[in-house]
Amino acid sequence: MTATSAVFAVLVALWLGAMIPGPSFVLVARNAIGLSRRDGLATAFGMGLGGIFFGGVALAGLYTLLQTVEWLYIGLKVAGGAYLIYVAAKIWRGAGNPITVDATLAASCGSVRKSFWIGLSTQLSNPKTAIWYGSIFAALLPQHPPLWCYFVLPPLVFAIEFGWYTIVALCFSSKGPREVYLRAKKWIDRVAAAAIAALGLRLILNASKAGI
């Protein structure tokens, strides 16, 4: 796989991860429904900046270490693959559960600025997000990515995170699209779970290879 193809695969995987209805998804939806479209977009912007942070850490810190400790690279692949399969199983089991919107908590957000900081802090304080980024980068990038990846990936990661959550904010602030999504949630979750499980299995099976 070329570096360009690997970057594209990373972005697709991160996009699938962003689509998973988790705390970030519910927070953006909650603010868009319970407060305003502007609050939803401000929350999405905070999520995007959090994505830049995790992408930068995954590139700068993780790969500096992995370049010198190959066994750690292999171990991270196995652990990351197992984690992705675990996440996929949880998503599949919860596919039929409705998304609940806590109006009381939404009301506490108060302002666009506060919505932004809540979005950013939620993204940065979620350890699963850090593990997710580390797993995806280790799975799909070569062990020694070219220099341009370090400059191109962070803004693209922001575009993926902010872009997806912007769509969420716009849709959930409109009655029609929101109802359509909620009706299709079960199958959307299951498709995402299958794709994530396949990625985790691939990661484990290719753990002994130096590159992807």
Side-chain angles (χ1 to χ4, degrees):
M1 181 184 293
T2 65
T4 300
S5 298
V7 167
F8 179 75
V10 166
L11 297 178
V12 171
L14 292 179
W15 177 65
L16 285 173
M19 290 179 66
I20 299 169
S24 299
F25 185 100
V26 174
L27 181 64
V28 175
R30 177 197 300 135
N31 286 353
I33 295 169
L35 295 175
S36 69
R37 178 170 291 182
R38 289 181 62 199
D39 281 278
L41 293 174
T43 309
F45 187 69
M47 298 294 179
L49 290 184
I52 289 181
F53 173 81
F54 283 121
V57 168
L59 278 170
L62 181 63
Y63 275 91
T64 299
L65 180 61
L66 293 179
Q67 284 175 0
T68 57
V69 188
E70 187 169 348
W71 65 265
L72 182 60
Y73 183 70
I74 295 173
L76 180 61
K77 281 188 172 184
V78 174
Y83 174 75
L84 294 181
I85 292 172
Y86 166 75
V87 168
K90 288 191 66 176
I91 295 168
W92 185 278
R93 289 197 302 269
N97 298 335
I99 296 176
T100 58
V101 178
D102 187 338
T104 302
L105 186 56
S108 70
C109 295
S111 69
V112 171
R113 181 179 295 180
K114 193 168 186 178
S115 293
F116 162 75
W117 284 112
I118 288 177
L120 178 61
S121 61
T122 297
Q123 185 84 313
L124 294 181
S125 64
N126 188 352
K128 291 184 179 180
T129 305
I131 298 173
W132 177 264
Y133 269 76
S135 301
I136 294 300
F137 278 54
L140 298 175
L141 282 182
Q143 189 172 6
H144 304 286
L147 182 62
W148 63 264
C149 289
Y150 293 85
F151 296 96
V152 169
L153 267 172
L156 289 178
V157 167
F158 172 81
I160 291 293
E161 292 277 356
F162 177 59
W164 167 247
Y165 288 119
T166 292
I167 293 173
V168 172
L170 294 176
C171 287
F172 277 79
S173 60
S174 303
K175 181 178 179 181
R178 178 178 64 208
E179 292 177 346
V180 169
Y181 174 83
L182 292 176
R183 285 197 297 269
K185 174 184 178 295
K186 177 179 179 180
W187 297 108
I188 292 174
D189 284 7
R190 288 186 172 175
V191 169
I196 293 165
L199 177 59
L201 184 60
R202 176 182 181 272
L203 182 52
I204 293 172
L205 293 177
N206 292 308
S208 62
K209 298 181 180 179
I212 302 298

